[in-house]
Amino acid sequence: MSTQRPPARAYVETYGCQMNISDGELMEGILERGGYTIVDSPDAADVVLVNTCAIREHAETRVLGRVSQLNGLKRDRPDMVIGVTGCMAQRMGETLLDQAPYVDLVMGPDGYRTLPDVLANLDDKRAGRTTTTIEDVVERPRKRGPQLAVLQLDVDENYQGLEQRRADGPSAWVPIQRGCNHRCTYCIVPYVRGPEKNRATDEIVAEVRGLAEQGVTEITLLGQTVNSWSYDDVTFPRLLQRVGRVDGIRRVRYTSPHPNDVTDELVEVMATEPTVCAHLHLPAQAGNNRTLKRMLRRYTVESLLEKIDLLRAAIPDIALSTDIIVAFPGETHEEFEDTLDLMRVARFHEAYTYKYSLRDGTPATRLPEEDFVDPDEAQARLEELIRVSRGIQAEINESEVGRVEDVLIEDEGRDPGQIRGRTERNKVVVFDGDPSRIGAYTRVRLERTTGSTFAGSEVGRPVTVSA
Ligand code: 5AD
Ligand code: SF4
């Protein structure tokens, strides 16, 4: 479609959840195959993509600030392209181009396959070269070359056949599903990522094999409701089993599951497959039935606790973490206290806690105005929830001091001479060691806890005494 271009450099900056980080890697892979060199700073880049999150208002405010800061780079390099991709780009669409007129491209999560073509198209248009029209690209005229918008959601786009550009390391995240078929009334995800689209079993397993051959030993399967994944007649537990049995894979996790798809079959695979970790992030969202119903979570506190019992009966040692939203519109103080009770009964090892954030276009925005919880009250509930959940986390972790655990060494520690690893149950532990051992597994005694993380020491390694 266009003339030969000089080599260009691209930089992708990602915000938000693990799915988005994985999408960032996917965009890098697509750009690299499209002839771009990926660089790790915006300063030297010809194309800067900010890959955004829309889950809470705060995430979006941060991105708008960052994009305006990046615009400063255009002063010296007016040809630089600034693109905004991901969930916020999809949510705001062309209004983002009005609000941030220096943005050259907005692209939603189903457009990434076309990135190199769309960027080439933009380049041609700026240079006044003849271009072919690309389907689904909306063009808006502007003095300094047009702005482009790619916002079509595609029920078939699961990025089959495309490879991510991954950082070297022992762990890899493998997306197996995009989008979501639920409609939790607070959540923007179904509107910006469309319905659930599952990847083919063989492709997933082949990708895991390839990663294992490159030295990856830990896999996390990713999806918005990852355990509702199925393909032809393969269910999620069978996929988990197949992935766990790939030669070289020592740890398998998955995130985030929906509690309703925690089945007997899944629990059995978790309990019996040695590589499937004794850890699960199980979003509860609230501990009151009226709130859960109005959130359209499709379970009750009782049925959630049954799932937790099922997991703990089969895997007594399992570490469960969760997500909780406080101050959902209409939540009374008593109903909030039910959530605190759930925390005390379920005893999650960790909780990610959020204040309800209004997302335009979601059903909860249509609740009566007087239902919206006063911001000071919402803040007080959040702080109380954090206090309770941190207390429980600290109690659990203190009871685990003295245990000896298998640890995958992931990174350097904060202090020189220290390294940081993770146990099978997803607990972070710091201990003395050499960074050259990143990627190795070792045995570590947990010696102290800050409440949330541990300090430990390796066991069974000969002590080297320097002369
Ligand atoms: N407000 C606050 N928290 C939200 N989450 C999703 N949507 C909202 C919202 N509108 C939380 C949920 C979800 C996590 C990723 O973000 O707890 O599990
Ligand atoms: Fe959002 Fe609910 Fe889907 Fe999770 S299951 S992505 S909270 S709609």
Side-chain angles (χ1 to χ4, degrees):
M1 121 184 23
S2 51
T3 48
Q4 187 70 35
R5 287 160 217 286
R9 291 153 302 179
Y11 167 69
V12 181
E13 183 168 293
T14 294
Y15 293 85
C17 67
Q18 202 52 57
M19 181 59 85
N20 225 31
I21 296 175
S22 180
D23 275 359
E25 295 176 344
L26 180 75
M27 280 187 258
E28 289 181 350
I30 291 170
L31 287 168
E32 207 164 51
R33 266 185 310 281
Y36 286 83
T37 303
I38 306 300
V39 291
D40 56 13
S41 146
D43 300 329
D46 305 296
V47 175
V48 172
L49 298 179
V50 183
N51 185 26
T52 62
C53 170
I55 200 98
R56 280 170 292 275
E57 192 182 355
H58 174 70
E60 295 197 347
T61 321
R62 248 178 91 203
V63 161
L64 285 174
R66 177 62 176 152
V67 174
S68 123
Q69 190 185 26
L70 288 166
N71 181 40
L73 297 173
K74 278 197 174 182
R75 232 171 283 137
D76 297 332
R77 285 180 292 134
D79 288 344
M80 188 180 111
V81 171
I82 298 182
V84 179
T85 63
C87 294
M88 176 183 167
Q90 185 70 40
R91 194 186 77 75
M92 292 186 69
E94 293 184 51
T95 45
L96 184 76
L97 298 177
D98 295 327
Q99 268 193 36
Y102 39 83
V103 168
D104 304 290
L105 168 70
V106 288
M107 181 179 272
D110 284 349
Y112 305 149
R113 199 183 277 276
T114 63
L115 250 179
D117 285 346
V118 171
L119 288 171
N121 194 251
L122 181 69
D123 195 36
D124 286 342
K125 286 181 193 291
R126 280 176 162 191
R129 284 189 292 261
T130 332
T131 57
T132 48
T133 318
I134 306 184
E135 216 190 323
D136 297 335
V137 177
V138 174
E139 179 181 342
R140 291 166 36 125
R142 193 184 43 173
K143 243 206 225 130
R144 302 164 276 139
Q147 292 177 298
L148 302 186
V150 185
L151 299 165
Q152 209 64 34
L153 286 175
D154 178 351
V155 286
D156 294 322
E157 180 55 286
N158 60 7
Y159 291 107
Q160 198 118 301
L162 291 174
E163 247 180 64
Q164 287 163 255
R165 175 183 181 269
R166 291 192 167 91
D168 284 343
S171 307
W173 303 76
V174 176
I176 65 168
Q177 174 190 69
R178 301 178 66 84
C180 178
N181 279 350
H182 285 258
R183 284 283 183 281
C184 301
T185 52
Y186 50 82
C187 185
I188 192 76
V189 168
Y191 307 93
V192 290
R193 287 188 171 263
E196 179 181 309
K197 292 149 268 194
N198 293 328
R199 273 178 81 193
T201 319
D202 290 344
E203 172 153 344
I204 298 166
V205 174
E207 182 173 351
V208 172
R209 277 206 198 98
L211 289 165
E213 277 159 21
Q214 289 161 36
V216 168
T217 59
E218 182 184 55
I219 296 288
T220 305
L221 301 178
L222 274 184
Q224 234 76 50
T225 55
V226 66
N227 54 337
S228 70
W229 177 96
S230 71
Y231 198 88
D232 294 339
D233 52 359
V234 184
T235 60
F236 179 72
R238 295 300 128 209
L239 175 73
L240 191 62
Q241 187 173 51
R242 279 190 64 183
V243 166
R245 291 182 183 181
V246 168
D247 266 358
I249 296 303
R250 292 181 61 166
R251 284 183 173 180
V252 184
R253 306 179 193 274
Y254 59 94
T255 201
S256 285
H258 192 284
N260 289 4
D261 295 309
V262 172
T263 58
D264 290 336
E265 189 194 9
L266 176 57
V267 174
E268 203 206 312
V269 168
M270 289 187 76
T272 52
E273 286 299 316
T275 55
V276 179
C277 292
H279 153 236
L280 192 61
H281 181 70
L282 191 65
Q285 311 298 4
N288 169 271
N289 283 341
R290 196 181 76 99
T291 308
L292 285 172
K293 189 159 188 188
R294 291 181 318 109
M295 286 178 161
L296 203 63
R297 285 296 288 173
R298 307 175 203 227
Y299 51 79
T300 59
V301 176
E302 293 72 25
S303 66
L304 176 71
L305 287 172
E306 267 172 38
K307 302 285 176 172
I308 293 177
D309 285 347
L310 200 67
L311 285 157
R312 288 194 169 139
I315 314 151
D317 215 20
I318 193 166
L320 296 175
S321 52
T322 197
D323 287 341
I324 301 283
I325 300 173
V326 299
F328 181 73
E331 183 189 67
T332 64
H333 204 273
E334 290 74 51
E335 288 167 348
F336 163 66
E337 284 180 351
D338 287 346
T339 295
L340 296 181
D341 283 345
L342 171 70
M343 303 307 283
R344 295 186 187 106
V345 173
R347 292 184 69 76
F348 293 106
H349 288 227
E350 191 166 13
Y352 297 85
T353 51
Y354 309 103
K355 265 187 293 192
Y356 169 75
S357 168
L358 186 147
R359 304 286 60 213
D360 274 341
T362 58
T365 56
R366 295 193 290 273
L367 288 166
E369 208 178 317
E370 63 274 16
D371 274 5
F372 284 77
V373 178
D374 170 74
D376 291 341
E377 170 64 17
Q379 181 62 27
R381 289 183 196 178
L382 181 70
E383 286 170 18
E384 177 68 357
L385 175 67
I386 292 173
R387 194 184 62 76
V388 169
S389 72
R390 288 215 180 129
I392 293 165
Q393 180 181 38
E395 274 172 26
I396 295 174
N397 286 345
E398 267 147 31
S399 77
E400 293 184 355
V401 167
R403 286 169 67 132
V404 175
E405 300 257 9
D406 277 332
V407 167
L408 166 58
I409 303 170
E410 291 182 346
D411 210 342
E412 295 182 31
R414 215 178 301 152
D415 298 328
Q418 287 201 320
I419 45 182
R420 186 165 53 74
R422 205 174 281 270
T423 70
E424 181 196 328
R425 295 158 70 250
N426 210 37
K427 310 258 170 158
V428 171
V429 52
V430 172
F431 50 100
D432 288 342
D434 195 279
S436 64
R437 296 183 45 238
I438 290 170
Y441 287 79
T442 186
R443 303 274 294 161
V444 175
R445 184 185 315 281
L446 307 180
E447 282 173 344
R448 285 188 316 281
T449 177
T450 60
S452 57
T453 61
F454 290 89
S457 61
E458 275 184 278
V459 295
R461 268 181 77 82
V463 179
T464 43
V465 183
S466 47

